[in-house]
């Protein structure tokens, strides 16, 4: 089974997020770059599938030079080889253009059976590239897969969550799925495996290697000026809340009779101050 | 490009139209239509849906494009991608809006790709430039940033909208119904539904609810979630949860609020035994009033709340449910 996982490197959003001096992007001076958390679930699922059915896992990522770290992490988890489409201009590029470029490298590989992506990137959160990759590759897709029920050489049965329920679907392979968290437990890469990952093959590709004519787009499509939508401004929202915290007399939890008082005070605040009752 | 604005009618399991579709129609009517000049249109896709056109007219849809096709009976993206893509290619609408739901997330990006449209997901604000290009504000970076996005001219502009962002407002017209034939065959439907489980609940749906009561890991068990449901029922609220609670099996996945789960924007949000991780906050930070109940005086959620009680939920919630019942009866 030939399995492809698309991964991206993302800014660690657990940390503080600040606006850059240009005002239209997020500052990246002192940030930590990580493998997109949702992509970790995709990599784990790919490796588990390989362990069950045999075959190989290929990781593909488009991004600047530092993006190699995300690929190496996936290799350390157990993927076999990588493709790194290296360019600094992807940040403001149209989602479908990114999908076209990364897909073009997969079209060169014969006999891909199963393709996985994360459900979204936690920095830009565009929530588009995964499904658009399926479109570009001409594959059916199942998004937000919560559990792979069964997979063999010819088909995939999986559960996905929908508003108001859940559904089990069957799709013939090759197909693409997008992965949320909690579908599996991503493994930690052990030190020996991190060392081994450094020797696994990564094919480095530049935009010069991309056949834009076949993709039906021009090279100028890469970057801000070629995008159908552009970010013109970034703001950091301030959390502006009333912060009326009712605590007990010892400055911790309310106890005993304080509970009824606290509840009455809260209800009164909701009625008269917030006016939401 | 025509000067039509389209709103996709998104449907629930029971076949009713989601409130967010009416919110989108209302907002398009209020702040876009007179500038762009064309008719406000709705797109109704599904199986046996033709009778719903009137409901869309109630919120200002002057034209309703209907694709009624047996292959659209399940919420299956393949048929919807084909139907909407063909309609967009044929009519070239100026703007296409839809509610952001797990179903539109599943097929709209593919339609944008196929039709060469620009797309921004989950708008929390929209506007138009002087030359009538769409602008959208949306959260990014785990809701720690808001990006303002501008569309370029020359392509259809598509956006999905976070539910509960805009007020729905009736402005009834009798819509012109246009039946569209889209050829969808068995071969187009690659993803086959094997089993569909719907959870019909008496409580309002999470993304639509005016009030939400959500519980976290501190609830400790599935049985204890009764505390959450009791308070929710007193408030006629929807019930939500954190991933920690869902992972522990205390409640079903479709209650999960957050970066992976649903984004909610109610008037009143109760966070019970929830610590307020970014991944949770990013799904409820736009709630108008946030109330938290937590026994840890240092919990991060307090700094993100309007009102809070520092206390044990098992002691506080029963009293709170009773008091609220009384207050609401007055
Ligand atoms: C990629 C990714 C995606 C994620 N997506 C989501 C998502 O969509 N939604 C989400 O919620 N999380 C998500 N998470 C998980 C998130 O990071 C947190 O782990 C999670 O939100 C914590 O849930 P919690 O607040 O219930 O649990 P905890 O952080 O353990 O907090 C429990 C709280 O309960 C309080 N408590 C305990 N007992 C009591 C009591 N008796 N009375 C009162 N208070 C009590 C404690 O003081 C504590 O504050 C995601 C994480 C990752 C990595
Ligand atoms: N530059 C990229 N290179 C490889 N895969 C990507 C890239 N951008 C996005 N993806 C994949 O698409 C998924 C969804 O991303 P997004 O639509 O940008 O939120 C990610 O989780 C990745 O699996």
């Amino acid at each position: 089974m030939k399995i492809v996982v698309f991964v991206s490197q993302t800014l660690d959003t657990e940390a503080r997020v600040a606006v850059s001096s240009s005002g239209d992007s997020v500052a990246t001076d002192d940030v930590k770059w990580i493998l997109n958390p949702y992509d970790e679930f995709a990599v784990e699922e790919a490796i588990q599938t390989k362990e069950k059915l045999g075959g190989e896992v290929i990781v593909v990522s488009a991004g600047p030079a530092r993006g190699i770290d995300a690929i190496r992490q996936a290799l350390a988890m157990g993927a076999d080889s990588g493709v790194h489409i290296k360019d600094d201009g992807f940040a403001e590029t149209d989602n479908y253009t990114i999908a076209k470029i990364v897909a073009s490298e997969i079209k060169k590989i014969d006999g891909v059976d199963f393709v996985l992506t994360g459900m979204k990137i936690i920095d830009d959160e565009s929530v588009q590239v995964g499904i658009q990759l399926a479109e570009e590759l001409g594959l059916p897709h199942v998004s937000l897969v919560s559990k792979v029920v069964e997979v063999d050489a010819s088909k995939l049965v999986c559960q996905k969550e929908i508003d108001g329920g859940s559904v089990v679907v069957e799709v013939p392979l090759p197909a693409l799925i997008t992965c949320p968290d909690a579908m599996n437990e991503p493994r930690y890469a052990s030190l020996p495996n991190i060392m081994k990952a450094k020797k696994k093959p990564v094919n480095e590709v530049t935009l010069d290697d991309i056949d834009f004519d076949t993709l039906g787009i021009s090279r100028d499509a890469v970057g801000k000026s070629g995008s159908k939508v552009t970010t013109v401004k970034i703001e950091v929202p301030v959390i502006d809340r009333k912060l009326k915290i009712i605590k007990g007399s010892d400055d911790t939890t309310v106890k005993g009779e304080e509970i009824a008082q606290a509840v009455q005070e809260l209800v009164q605040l909701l009625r008269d101050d917030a006016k939401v009752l | 490009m025509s000067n039509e604005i389209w709103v996709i009618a998104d449907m629930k399991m029971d076949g009713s139209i989601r409130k967010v579709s009416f919110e989108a129609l209302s907002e398009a009517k209020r702040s876009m239509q007179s500038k762009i000049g064309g008719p406000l249109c709705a797109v109704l896709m599904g199986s046996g849906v033709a009778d719903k056109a009137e409901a869309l007219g109630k919120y200002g849809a002057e034209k309703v494009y209907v694709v009624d096709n047996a292959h659209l009976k399940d919420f299956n993206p393949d048929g919807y991608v084909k139907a909407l893509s063909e309609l967009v290619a044929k009519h070239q609408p100026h703007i296409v809006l839809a509610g952001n739901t797990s179903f539109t997330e599943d097929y709209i990006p593919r339609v944008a790709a196929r039709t060469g449209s620009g797309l921004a997901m989950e708008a929390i604000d929209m506007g138009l430039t002087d030359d009538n290009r769409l602008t959208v504000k949306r959260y990014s970076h785990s809701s720690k940033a808001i990006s303002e996005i501008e569309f370029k001219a020359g392509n259809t502009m598509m956006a999905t909208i976070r539910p509960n962002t805009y007020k729905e407002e009736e402005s009834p017209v009798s819509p012109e119904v246009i039946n569209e034939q889209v050829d969808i065959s068995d071969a187009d439907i690659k993803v086959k539904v094997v089993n569909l489980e719907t959870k019909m609940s008496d409580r309002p749906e999470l993304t639509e609810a005016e009030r939400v009561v959500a519980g976290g890991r501190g609830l400790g068990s599935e049985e204890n979630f009764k505390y959450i449901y009791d308070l929710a029922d007193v408030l006629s609220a929807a019930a939500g949860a954190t991933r920690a609670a869902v992972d522990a099996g205390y409640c079903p996945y479709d209650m999960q609020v957050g970066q992976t789960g649903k984004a909610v924007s109610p008037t009143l949000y109760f966070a019970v035994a929830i610590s307020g991780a970014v991944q949770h906050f990013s799904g409820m930070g736009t709630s108008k009033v946030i109330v938290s109940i937590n026994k840890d005086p240092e919990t991060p959620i307090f700094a993100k709340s309007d009102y809070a009680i520092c206390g044990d939920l098992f002691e506080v919630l029963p009293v709170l449910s009773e008091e609220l019942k009384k207050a609401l009866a007055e």
Side-chain angles (χ1 to χ4, degrees):
Chain A
M1 163 116 12
K2 211 174 261 184
I3 306 164
V4 171
V5 195
F6 289 99
V7 302
S8 55
Q9 197 179 39
T10 173
L11 205 140
D12 184 359
T13 56
E14 293 264 3
R16 203 173 77 90
V17 169
V19 182
S20 71
S21 54
S22 59
D24 60 357
S25 62
V26 162
T28 53
D29 318 326
D30 291 314
V31 300
K32 206 169 119 202
W33 294 95
I34 55 172
L35 171 61
N36 182 35
Y38 294 105
D39 299 354
E40 269 184 64
F41 296 93
V43 172
E44 176 62 34
E45 200 62 38
I47 296 169
Q48 285 187 17
T49 310
K50 179 184 84 165
E51 286 167 348
K52 225 178 295 167
L53 302 173
E56 62 172 316
V57 175
I58 306 163
V59 200
V60 184
S61 186
R66 59 173 158 73
I68 187 70
D69 294 343
I71 296 176
R72 291 281 174 214
Q73 187 179 337
L75 295 174
M77 287 172 72
D80 299 285
S81 64
V83 179
H84 184 190
I85 304 157
K86 203 162 96 175
D87 195 81
D88 288 335
F90 291 125
E92 276 282 348
T93 301
D94 215 56
N95 292 299
Y96 191 38
T97 301
I98 292 192
K100 274 180 174 284
I101 289 171
V102 286
S104 72
E105 285 306 303
I106 293 314
K107 289 181 186 162
K108 292 180 191 159
I109 302 170
D110 272 342
V112 171
D113 301 291
F114 188 21
V115 183
L116 303 94
T117 77
M119 69 174 278
K120 64 173 149 186
I121 295 184
I122 62 161
D123 52 13
D124 289 338
E125 300 196 62
S126 57
V127 210
Q128 301 184 23
V129 176
I131 292 170
Q132 293 184 338
L133 270 163
E135 175 69 12
E136 183 60 18
L137 292 167
L139 298 179
H141 77 264
V142 187
S143 67
L144 275 181
V145 170
S146 52
K147 199 166 87 195
V148 170
V149 179
E150 197 189 322
V151 55
D152 60 33
S154 64
K155 69 164 193 304
L156 173 77
V157 179
C158 54
Q159 183 179 324
K160 67 174 263 113
E161 304 300 329
I162 53 178
D163 289 331
S166 75
V167 61
V168 177
V169 297
E170 180 179 318
V171 59
L173 292 183
L176 178 147
I177 67 170
T178 80
C179 305
D181 58 334
M183 72 186 297
N184 55 40
E185 261 312 311
R187 67 194 70 190
Y188 284 104
S190 66
L191 200 57
N193 284 346
I194 293 172
M195 299 314 287
K196 256 194 257 166
K198 291 188 176 148
K199 299 204 185 70
K200 289 184 178 175
V202 176
N203 181 14
E204 203 174 276
V205 175
T206 69
L207 290 187
D208 292 335
D209 304 312
I210 305 283
D211 183 357
F212 283 94
D213 288 343
T214 323
L215 294 183
I217 50 174
S218 78
R219 193 175 164 142
D220 299 338
V222 178
K224 193 163 186 161
S225 61
S227 186
K228 294 191 185 77
V229 296
T230 51
T231 304
V232 291
K233 194 174 156 202
I234 294 255
E235 297 164 60
V236 171
V238 276
I239 297 178
D240 182 18
R241 296 281 169 186
K242 294 207 163 111
L243 306 175
K244 292 195 177 156
I245 320 291
I246 306 168
K247 292 186 182 170
S249 52
D250 60 355
D251 216 26
T252 64
T253 53
V254 290
K255 297 173 197 79
E257 281 160 17
E258 291 168 351
I259 295 173
Q261 275 170 25
V263 165
Q264 275 166 13
E265 190 181 339
L266 175 64
V267 171
Q268 186 247 319
L269 284 166
L270 291 178
R271 189 181 47 215
D272 304 332
D273 190 37
K275 300 192 167 57
V276 288
L277 291 186
Chain B
M1 215 59 37
S2 81
N3 56 2
E4 290 188 347
I5 306 171
W6 287 13
V7 173
I8 311 297
D10 196 34
M11 245 130 5
K12 291 192 203 173
M13 295 284 203
D14 64 4
S16 61
I17 297 173
R18 279 180 194 280
K19 191 166 136 250
V20 66
S21 304
F22 301 135
E23 292 164 4
L25 276 171
S26 306
E27 178 59 16
K29 172 107 205 155
R30 253 189 316 259
S31 58
M32 291 181 177
Q33 193 191 1
S34 63
K35 276 196 78 185
I36 294 175
L40 180 58
C41 313
V43 181
L44 189 54
M45 295 176 285
S47 174
V49 291
D51 61 332
K52 300 188 200 309
E54 283 306 315
L56 295 158
K58 206 163 122 189
Y59 291 90
E62 293 147 71
K63 266 193 200 180
V64 181
Y65 293 102
V66 180
V67 184
D68 205 327
N69 189 305
H71 283 105
L72 300 178
K73 100 175 136 36
D74 297 318
F75 289 90
N76 186 316
D78 298 327
Y80 284 82
V81 171
K82 186 163 189 193
L84 185 56
S85 299
E86 287 192 10
L87 256 54
V88 168
K90 179 170 161 194
H91 297 283
Q92 305 276 315
H94 188 82
I95 290 175
V96 178
L97 303 175
N100 197 87
T101 66
S102 56
F103 187 52
T104 54
E105 279 190 352
D106 194 24
Y107 80 96
I108 299 275
R110 222 172 152 147
V111 173
R114 194 170 293 183
T115 58
S117 309
L119 170 65
M121 300 297 281
E122 210 168 356
I124 53 157
D125 196 11
M126 296 185 295
L128 291 172
T129 62
D130 291 340
D131 56 348
N132 285 341
R133 287 174 297 115
L134 184 64
T135 62
V136 155
K137 280 193 185 176
R138 61 187 299 277
Y139 280 105
S140 63
H141 299 79
S142 303
S143 298
K144 289 181 175 176
I146 295 175
S147 341
E148 190 173 328
I149 286 170
E150 226 174 78
F151 285 66
K152 296 236 171 89
N155 312 292
T156 293
M157 308 171 197
M158 296 188 173
T160 64
I161 306 170
R162 179 178 286 198
N164 263 353
T165 297
Y166 292 110
K167 240 173 94 76
E168 59 188 307
E169 200 177 339
E170 291 187 14
S171 63
V173 288
S174 186
E176 174 194 356
V177 175
I178 300 153
N179 285 301
E180 293 279 348
Q181 297 306 320
V182 176
D183 182 23
I184 306 172
S185 68
D186 278 343
D188 290 319
I189 310 294
K190 299 277 187 337
V191 181
K192 298 264 183 333
V193 174
V194 181
N195 184 28
L196 179 71
E197 249 176 68
T198 54
K199 298 182 198 91
M200 285 299 165
S201 162
D202 295 337
R203 294 188 195 96
E205 228 191 67
L206 204 43
T207 58
E208 296 191 345
E210 280 292 316
R211 294 169 180 159
V212 174
V213 178
R217 197 199 307 268
L219 266 297
S221 72
E222 188 178 359
E223 297 76 64
N224 286 344
F225 248 76
K226 186 171 71 60
Y227 286 87
I228 298 295
Y229 302 133
D230 285 349
L231 180 57
D233 290 342
V234 168
L235 289 164
S236 309
T242 63
R243 166 167 151 206
V246 173
D247 271 4
Y250 303 164
C251 56
Y253 176 87
D254 74 340
M255 279 169 61
Q256 184 169 321
V257 172
Q259 189 164 48
T260 316
K262 299 191 170 78
V264 301
S265 240
T267 311
L268 183 57
Y269 189 91
F270 271 85
V272 181
I274 290 174
S275 65
V278 281
Q279 294 90 352
H280 186 74
F281 193 74
S282 81
M284 43 64 83
T286 50
S287 305
K288 269 135 229 115
V289 174
I290 297 175
V291 180
S292 55
I293 314 290
N294 199 300
K295 69 175 182 190
D296 172 9
E298 307 293 328
T299 182
I301 191 81
F302 283 165
K304 300 172 177 175
S305 304
D306 294 289
Y307 309 100
I309 293 180
C310 182
D312 188 316
L313 84 96
F314 300 112
E315 294 174 0
V316 174
L317 248 56
V319 185
L320 183 58
S321 292
E322 278 312 308
E323 276 302 312
L324 282 170
K325 206 182 283 172
K326 272 193 258 163
L328 289 165
E330 275 166 21

